[in-house]
Amino acid sequence: MLRNCCWVILTLVFAVSGSAEEWRPLSPAFRAKETKFSPTVGFNLTKKGEIILRNRGGFTSVQSTQDFALSFSWRYTAGKDDGGYQDVLTVGIATDGDLNPQWSHEIVNGIAIALQAHAGEVTVHSRTDGTVIKGLGGKKGLKFERGKDYKVHISRYGALVTVKIEDVEVLQVKVPEDAPKLGKILIYNREPVAAIEQESILGDIKLMLP
């Protein structure tokens, strides 16, 4: 679908002296009501070039775009194997580049593509003013195992959003005309659930922009 135009590939580049900043980490959004229960929240960049997201940690693109192709590897390492305590990785598109300071600490406006390990599904929904959620599509029956790397590819071309896992298309949805079109791409993981911390690790991140 991504053709007839010139695309620029942006690999993982964060602000360092003398280089351009293509992504920036977000300030921690999650806060427990009692300080003693507050987990470590945020973002780490490893020497291997991987990103570690903890407990609603996230990062955002500096540039705004509508059409794009994003690929990366993803694995979650924390949580529990039983019950609904596995991580969720969300890619927000057409966002303002920040998370809601209020619960549930997700994007305020935009479209969210959620890889839900705890539910075994991928969903796409829109958010407006932080509270109005409209489901746009989903794919159930998937399996995301803790500690295993998954190759993820997400793209938007016009009204179509496509999600591939391990080079297999699992979901394609048509974005409504009134959905946000232009904005930043924001990636974040799940908040702690029942005091169980969450951690996701991303690698080989590539973003193609027109």
Side-chain angles (χ1 to χ4, degrees), residues 156-177:
R156 179 178 183 176
Y157 184 74
L160 290 179
V161 173
T162 304
V163 182
K164 295 181 180 180
I165 307 293
E166 297 295 314
D167 295 322
V168 176
E169 183 178 309
V170 298
L171 183 63
Q172 185 175 79
V173 301
K174 187 174 182 179
V175 177
E177 284 295 324

Side-chain angles (χ1 to χ4, degrees), residues 32-38:
K33 291 183 179 180
E34 296 185 47
T35 304
K36 64 181 180 180
F37 295 125
S38 291

